[in-house]
Amino acid sequence: MVAESRLALPCGRFLSALLAAVRVFIFKQFANNIFLILLFFKEFSSFVARTNTCGELRSSHLGQEVTLCGWIQYRRQNIFLVLRDFHGLVQVVIPQEEVIEGFLLKILCEAPVESVVRVSGTVISRPPGQENPKMPTGEIEIKVKTAELLNSCKKLPFEVKDFVKKTEALRLQYRYLDLRSFQMQYNLRLRSQMVMKMREYLCNLHGFVDIETPTLFKRTPGGAKEFVIPSREPGKFYCLPQSPQQFKQLLMVGGLDRYFQVARCYRDEGSRPDRQPEFTQIDIEMSFVDQTGIQRLIEGLLQYSWPSDKDPVVVPFPSLTFAEALASYGTDKPDTRFGMKIIDISDVLRNTEVGFLQDALSKPQGTVKAICISEGTVSDSQFCFSRVESFSLSQEVLPVFPKASRNWNSPVAQSILEEQRSGLIRLMEIREDDVVLLTAGEHKKACSVLGKLRLECADLLEARGLVLRDPTLFSFLWVVDFPLFLPKEENPGELESAHHPFTAPHPSDIQLLYTEPEKVRSQHYDLVLNGSEIGGGSIRIHDAELQRYILATLLKEDVKLLSHLLQALDFGAPPHGGIALGLDRLICLVTGAPSIRDVIAFPKSFKGHDLMSNAPDSLPSEELKPYHIQVSWPANSEAEKSSLNHLVFK
Amino acid sequence: MVAESRLALPCGRFLSALLAAVRVFIFKQFANNIFLILLFFKEFSSFVARTNTCGELRSSHLGQEVTLCGWIQYRRQNIFLVLRDFHGLVQVVIPQEEVIEGFLLKILCEAPVESVVRVSGTVISRPPGQENPKMPTGEIEIKVKTAELLNSCKKLPFEVKDFVKKTEALRLQYRYLDLRSFQMQYNLRLRSQMVMKMREYLCNLHGFVDIETPTLFKRTPGGAKEFVIPSREPGKFYCLPQSPQQFKQLLMVGGLDRYFQVARCYRDEGSRPDRQPEFTQIDIEMSFVDQTGIQRLIEGLLQYSWPSDKDPVVVPFPSLTFAEALASYGTDKPDTRFGMKIIDISDVLRNTEVGFLQDALSKPQGTVKAICISEGTVSDSQFCFSRVESFSLSQEVLPVFPKASRNWNSPVAQSILEEQRSGLIRLMEIREDDVVLLTAGEHKKACSVLGKLRLECADLLEARGLVLRDPTLFSFLWVVDFPLFLPKEENPGELESAHHPFTAPHPSDIQLLYTEPEKVRSQHYDLVLNGSEIGGGSIRIHDAELQRYILATLLKEDVKLLSHLLQALDFGAPPHGGIALGLDRLICLVTGAPSIRDVIAFPKSFKGHDLMSNAPDSLPSEELKPYHIQVSWPANSEAEKSSLNHLVFK
């Protein structure tokens, strides 16, 4: 079944690209469900007072009478006017003849830039030599007959031109102007298109049901990052959930079989760069599915919805276990667009005389690890010293340069024996221009340090002009076999869920739950794209007894808060699993935007503020009364409070 | 342009119905954008451990080896088992041969009803005479070879059978069981399908961009029904908006041209029957559009997305002005599925001797109105007296029965002169079995009373077996030309917006704004279906000066709260307008569900409670600290508070 559906996808994706751009009419029905279909282009000018968009006009429109609506982008010598709409730019010729009424000239010549006008006229060829091949509409212009000023523009806080740089704070304050930029239009439209294709794939091709789940919910156990909403009942609060996790599992118990939702989620993390207090995930849950089923579904989903202006997605995605990812990349979200993998060189250096390596190897869990930075010396042989220093506080890192004087040049490195050097060169395939970074210590810690250095070095090399990470490459990766539990940070003797308490244990490890739970692997899987986690999910526990054991005995959670879910598992819950994709991050990577704020229409600043409308804001205390709450002013804010009182009780 | 798109719609709708049910492969491309397309059925069993759904098996599957997953619906004589999934029911024959392993028999014969099983076997014909024509799979059954118990079901709080009646509280408490019912599966799947088709229409056919707007926003002026969310800054609150109104207008200023969103909205109205604190609207905004443009768009949208098992939607929808709706139906949301219109009989009764009619007509605004209830006497000539009485407190209503003794039988009615009677009979087309209800007074009040009585009488007649409102009929109606302002309830000398302050005045009435603003009509429009308002929208003000005048001078609002919007209008805002459809109510009407709670997966009770999870809930006060709030316990709830403290500080 899966194989058949994968085969079908390239065709499906092709159709989807077409459907996204065309209008569809069924022409004639043949036997056997075969239809002849006529495809027309998407209708952007239906229902409104224009005949065309500015950006769509071409030589094929020559001679047509058109009516356009748009913004004045700029004006040249009172003869040419460039009109802009979401679709693009078009040149309008302002008539110079005496017969033209004065008010038309006045509108076209005097209205400020960014004013909104409607013009009607004829599509004509530009005079020979005046074509603009850089402009999609560059072969034609509009000979205007009538014009109407729909709205005049006052003096702008900044010019709406892509080449004019603005601070992000200014862009967010005047977001409605920033949205007029080519880049924001592209990002938001690509997002809309891609989500639409995802819906087609899930809903129309694979029978998923789009179901809305509540956002006014209750606190979940451990949900310390949930916004609270006072209700009209004294002391009772709703919470905004971090995900529809409980609801999607309950929908499976309810027999909905295949659920998806483009779900708004909330997480109050205070100030965090490149996080948003509200974000969107493609939320999916299926009954009777296993890990492979979810993985094939998601690969198909991304392949089908992938923008047609990018290289197609190749499936299936490669997969690494959590342990492999850590050992080779020092992270559970490896950027697999480039190499520089971590290599265990403990065996080569077993007899080293270098002090900190010797120390490390003498310990039971001690290892020596290294990464080889290809062409690391190309532009500056000392380049990584400063970076390495910033890590030496937590872990000693030793840079080694094979090239300089054909000997290994760092003082400590010189104590590495000749046979060890040649062993290293063989094992790590070291070349002349490379730099090797060594560290020693406990496996996980050593990997983690080198994993961070690997990314830092890649940034440095790219800042110096090398291309390590092809910007057109999208490197997907599954990371699987995570541990089910981690030691609690504040109390390492106790366990907490590595992801969430509903994750099913790996079938091979079930018995370990009762003996060595810390060794149990889970059926959790993460989807990683170019080193960012863009999704995660798991097969869930559908057995009520197992769920109770994990919650109450292993995690010591208060099961009362989850009694409805435990009860639901008792009443014929099917085996089920799911996944959630972080939409903002995914679109950010696809568009190559520098921040997720560039793929969200009205994002909050990193402090959680809406700089345009000034949210959050003060409220008169009488508006809090129906909710039976009052503000607890911090002791040191009395002055602030009294000034606020002025403000809010006006 | 509009005409062309209307012509296209029947075809588009046909394709949409197909696309919703099929998988699509492009077969071959011809010239001129003509494609030959093969259509296959939607794949419900991709990626999972079944070959088919229970409900899809037919005689065409005979002989196939299938694997099914589902719930045990019931068992007969340990020979037959009926298995259920979301798609339907299928009969499984439990093998009686000795060779079958004991555990298979045990599973199939001993697992409780609603346990989840997977069975594999062969599709065979039912023996002649044992076919069940009422069951879509009634010609076949499954001869089982292997079976697996996936999850056993404990004793249920109620049987999952549609014919078993449950209280709504019980259904909501065990919502995951209630969702297994045929009706809930149908409602949620129809909702998903219909929204998907709306997206296809807007996004794929008409170039709309699906844009997500924030739900963590700030208080809007007059937004007294907005939930508040404390932030981590002392005294600063977000609010959950009642609609994306400001954002959608700002998107137009941002040049997005055509926006839509299936938007979650929030309204805190305390306890209200058949309202939900969170609800969903199809939210739409367009630039360069007029009222007619929006109306044609929405007609096309509903026609395209209308379920194929209902009668097609006929467009364009009829239209009434607000004044006409009030005069004929006594309401701004008339149920136009039946007549019984209000008729002004003032002229006929000008010389009446009936006291209260005479009184009313002697006043300057006095009128006499009546409705004629067809066949009102069919089953009980006195039927409306009790209803009429309940209205007589606010307004006197006089029932008149032409039939009884061929004379008009109520004591007061006998004072109506013979010529007035015949005038009335002519004007109102009164027949023998009809009942006439008269009232007198000021136009609006008289209409309003008769409008309510009209609906009451329809309910009564239908309770007695007459069919006034065909349940298969969907009667759409536009109501237009609303007043822009209404007198404030608490201070009738001041004005408030009839809808919201961004609504544009009617072009013919602009000058009245400065002289008699209370007479200005707006460019607001409501969409009514079968007497329920399912949508509303308007052309917006795009002129900053006009918006400032209305907000500051006429409405006396604090414009500071809206300074970002006013500023946006200054910077080249295009003319724009939009609409929002109430999705929950619309789906409720389409499915014929008794309540909107039946078309929402996890609704709140009318008190705003989630009866399944017990939300809203108490919170330990330390969880409120990061938000700088504390509970203000009402004076009379000390006992309750101390008991709660026990609870929350455990």
Side-chain angles (χ1 to χ4, degrees), chain B residues 591-607:
Chain B
T591 58
S595 153
I596 57 167
R597 292 185 293 281
D598 292 315
V599 298
I600 295 171
F602 298 100
K604 303 282 192 293
S605 75
F606 79 101
K607 283 189 173 166

Side-chain angles (χ1 to χ4, degrees), chain A residues 143-160:
Chain A
K143 190 180 171 193
V144 68
K145 285 183 184 153
T146 63
E148 187 184 348
L149 179 64
L150 298 174
N151 211 350
S152 184
C153 181
K154 293 224 171 132
K155 185 161 167 37
L156 292 167
F158 54 80
E159 279 190 86
V160 183

Side-chain angles (χ1 to χ4, degrees), chain A residues 54 120 176 225 236 302 338 364 509 593:
Chain A
C54 297
S120 294
Y176 44 88
K225 291 168 178 173
K236 300 271 180 124
L302 287 163
F338 66 104
D509 296 354

Side-chain angles (χ1 to χ4, degrees), chain A residues 46 219 233 258 609 623, chain B residues 46 219 233 258 609 623:
Chain A
S46 45
R219 184 68 113 209
E233 289 171 71
R258 302 177 160 217
H609 291 181
E623 298 204 4
Chain B
S46 45
R219 184 69 113 206
E233 289 172 72
R258 302 176 161 217
H609 291 180
E623 299 203 3

Side-chain angles (χ1 to χ4, degrees), chain B residues 344-482:
Chain B
D344 190 307
I345 54 172
S346 307
D347 286 345
V348 178
L349 294 179
R350 197 62 68 188
N351 303 315
T352 183
E353 288 167 10
V354 180
F356 83 99
L357 301 179
Q358 212 173 29
D359 279 1
L361 286 172
S362 66
K363 288 177 188 152
Q365 306 288 326
T367 63
V368 182
K369 310 274 184 184
I371 54 175
C372 173
I373 302 162
S374 266
E375 304 185 66
T377 61
V378 162
S379 37
D380 178 358
S381 64
Q382 302 299 308
F383 87 93
C384 59
F385 267 124
S386 61
R387 292 290 151 176
V388 164
E389 270 167 23
S390 70
F391 281 86
S392 57
L393 290 175
S394 60
Q395 180 107 0
E396 205 164 356
V397 177
L398 175 66
V400 178
F401 303 88
K403 188 178 194 177
S405 76
R406 301 225 165 253
N407 211 323
W408 294 33
N409 70 341
S410 75
V412 190
Q414 283 166 13
S415 340
I416 296 180
L417 299 174
E418 184 55 46
E419 65 174 78
Q420 290 169 342
R421 284 180 205 180
S422 53
L424 273 189
I425 288 171
R426 260 198 317 278
L427 182 62
M428 302 191 62
E429 300 174 357
I430 300 168
R431 283 167 304 171
E432 267 209 343
D433 287 330
D434 297 351
V435 175
V436 175
L437 299 178
L438 278 86
T439 193
E442 184 267 324
H443 171 72
K444 194 172 163 185
K445 204 173 164 195
C447 290
S448 173
V449 166
L450 288 183
K452 284 175 192 143
L453 264 176
R454 175 178 174 266
L455 293 177
E456 292 259 9
C457 291
D459 285 348
L460 281 165
L461 288 172
E462 291 196 336
R464 278 151 208 272
L466 274 84
V467 178
L468 264 81
R469 296 168 289 200
D470 176 356
T472 69
L473 191 70
F474 293 93
S475 185
F476 288 98
L477 175 75
W478 290 110
V479 180
V480 300
D481 290 357
F482 283 83

Side-chain angles (χ1 to χ4, degrees), chain B residues 7-130:
Chain B
L7 271 175
L9 283 170
C11 296
R13 186 166 170 271
F14 178 42
L15 176 69
S16 152
L18 279 167
L19 278 184
V22 296
R23 303 194 64 197
V24 179
F25 297 77
I26 290 201
F27 199 61
K28 192 172 174 185
Q29 182 176 355
F30 296 102
N32 260 342
N33 284 343
I34 302 177
F35 292 83
L36 184 62
I37 292 188
L38 294 176
L39 301 165
F40 294 82
F41 281 96
K42 205 179 257 200
E43 183 57 86
F44 283 112
S45 297
S46 45
F47 311 114
V48 292
R50 67 176 174 234
T51 59
N52 296 81
T53 61
C54 298
E56 73 176 303
L57 296 174
R58 298 289 184 276
S59 291
S60 58
H61 296 88
L62 279 177
Q64 287 186 16
E65 299 293 314
V66 296
T67 299
L68 308 174
C69 296
W71 285 260
I72 298 176
Q73 177 84 354
Y74 54 83
R75 189 186 288 115
R76 275 209 321 267
Q77 307 147 349
N78 283 350
I79 297 177
F80 299 113
L81 195 107
V82 171
L83 203 62
R84 184 194 74 233
D85 66 13
F86 70 94
H87 217 168
L89 302 167
V90 70
Q91 180 161 292
V92 170
V93 193
I94 304 175
Q96 305 295 307
E97 301 102 52
E98 293 299 313
V99 291
I100 297 295
E101 288 179 62
F103 86 96
L104 174 60
L105 260 179
K106 194 172 156 68
I107 288 169
L108 296 178
C109 297
E110 292 182 12
V113 163
E114 291 302 318
S115 293
V116 189
V117 295
R118 174 163 45 215
V119 300
S120 293
T122 316
V123 181
I124 58 172
S125 280
R126 294 200 188 185
Q130 292 188 26

